[in-house]
Amino acid sequence: MELRQLRYFLAVADELHFGRAAERLHMSQPPLSVQVSRLEEELGTTLFERSTRSVRLTPAGVHLQASARSIMSSVNTVQDEMREYAEGLSGRVTVGFVSSANYTVLPGVVQLFRARRPHVTLDLRPLTSGEQIAGLLAGTLDVAIVRDELPTSTDPSTELIAEVVFEELLVACLPADHPLSHRSEVSADEIVEIPMVTYPRALMPGYVDRVSAVFNATAGVINVVEEVVHQETALGFVAAGVGTSILPESVRHLLPPSIVAIPLTGSPTSRLIAVRAARHDDRVTGAFVECLHDAAQALARR
């Protein structure tokens, strides 16, 4: 039994006339009659009582009509669902993000994406940049929102696409009672003299290299006294007087009164970068990255 036969049967069952059913199906009547007869032979029962004046459903035909309508409704539903999936209107996208994205692009992109793609499940996972790149290569993430990371894939079968979506100033976070706390800006030469709270390079290579470049260009080697994973932990050490930490300017949303954030001389910046594995016709992922750019642009206009 084929779906085509069920469609033919339903047309005749609805019209109770082979001629009208053939017109509805845009075919001639003889092939339609042949297909219905073949269906009856396959099922081993008569579906229609035929006479020169009328066509009526048999009890078996009435039963098949109800079942066939349910089957065709399910088929149409699946077709609609797959069409939406192919067009990026349904499905699932798994996104990793660094914690600092919480205070910049993440709230806006979540709101925008859910408005534009209400039938797509958005799975958000807070991870370090290194963990996200590993997730992309392993296939557990669709999009990574990393900081200062421009990765290249070591797997020739997986091409990574990286796009800068947001850029912000780097600031030096200092205790409010520090001698430099009242400055409008501080130089790398001045900050390098202060013990530094930073991050493990294995987890955040791009960001650690970016901060190191700011200091190595003019001031020399950083005196790292603590390595932490989260910027909230870094701020805790700063508040305790352990040292300073170089963080993105959006960290101001987290600062207690006991900490100040001062721009660095030369206005060095840090970038949030969207990374994804190149896949053919992955419209859901593409839609998310588009929303990410739009959310970043809206944030920049504020």
Side-chain angles (χ1 to χ4, degrees):
M1 184 169 54
E2 301 174 359
L3 289 176
R4 174 169 56 98
Q5 290 175 310
L6 290 181
R7 290 192 181 96
Y8 292 167
F9 163 75
L10 283 175
V12 178
D14 291 343
E15 299 292 341
L16 293 179
H17 192 284
F18 277 82
R20 289 195 298 269
E23 290 179 3
R24 170 174 159 181
L25 294 168
H26 305 290
M27 63 187 299
S28 60
Q29 181 175 334
L32 174 60
S33 298
V34 169
Q35 289 297 327
V36 172
S37 295
R38 287 179 178 174
L39 180 60
E40 289 177 319
E41 290 175 6
E42 183 178 342
L43 295 177
T45 186
T46 302
L47 300 174
F48 296 100
E49 293 178 358
R50 305 165 177 85
S51 71
T52 56
R53 295 185 177 181
S54 67
V55 174
R56 292 190 302 169
L57 284 166
T58 64
V62 172
H63 179 77
L64 179 61
Q65 184 182 39
S67 298
R69 281 177 175 165
S70 177
I71 292 169
M72 297 310 300
S73 176
S74 297
V75 169
N76 292 335
T77 298
V78 171
Q79 289 176 331
D80 290 341
E81 288 174 351
M82 294 309 299
R83 190 178 302 110
E84 287 188 353
Y85 185 86
E87 294 174 355
L89 299 176
S90 66
R92 185 184 192 91
V93 61
T94 304
V95 179
F97 64 96
V98 290
S99 61
S100 56
N102 274 313
Y103 312 104
T104 52
V105 298
L106 195 64
V109 71
V110 169
Q111 183 178 24
L112 192 58
F113 185 74
R114 286 179 172 164
R116 292 182 182 177
R117 295 291 191 274
H119 301 299
V120 176
T121 300
L122 178 57
D123 181 7
L124 296 171
R125 302 183 182 181
L127 299 165
T128 65
S129 294
E131 290 169 335
Q132 290 183 69
I133 300 305
L136 284 176
L137 295 177
T140 58
L141 289 182
D142 298 307
V143 182
I145 304 175
V146 299
R147 187 167 286 281
D148 296 306
E149 194 74 33
L150 288 172
T152 56
S153 175
T154 56
D155 182 353
S157 66
T158 304
E159 177 188 356
L160 297 181
I161 301 171
E163 305 173 38
V164 176
V165 294
F166 188 73
E167 189 169 14
E168 58 184 317
L169 292 174
L170 287 171
V171 295
C173 295
L174 292 164
D177 59 359
H178 192 278
L180 298 176
S181 63
H182 299 293
R183 299 277 294 276
S184 59
E185 66 177 26
V186 291
S187 68
D189 290 325
E190 293 169 311
I191 290 296
V192 79
E193 300 296 330
I194 306 171
M196 186 76 66
V197 179
T198 186
Y199 298 93
R201 189 179 183 281
L203 295 179
M204 306 176 197
Y207 184 70
V208 171
D209 288 350
R210 176 66 186 126
V211 172
S212 296
V214 171
F215 289 93
N216 291 342
T218 61
V221 180
I222 300 171
N223 176 22
V224 177
V225 292
E226 295 286 350
E227 284 190 349
V228 299
V229 175
H230 302 292
Q231 60 184 9
E232 293 85 353
T233 308
L235 292 176
F237 279 115
V238 172
V242 173
T244 183
S245 188
I246 305 303
L247 294 169
E249 188 176 29
S250 55
V251 77
R252 293 184 188 275
H253 295 284
L254 298 176
L255 296 184
S258 59
I259 298 177
V260 296
I262 305 173
L264 296 170
T265 301
S267 302
T269 60
S270 173
R271 301 179 298 175
L272 284 176
I273 299 171
V275 187
R276 53 185 165 135
R279 296 187 179 94
H280 296 295
D281 199 27
D282 191 350
R283 299 190 182 183
V284 174
T285 298
F288 181 84
V289 174
E290 180 182 347
C291 288
L292 189 56
H293 281 291
D294 290 346
Q297 290 173 8
L299 182 63
R301 290 194 295 267
R302 291 180 186 174

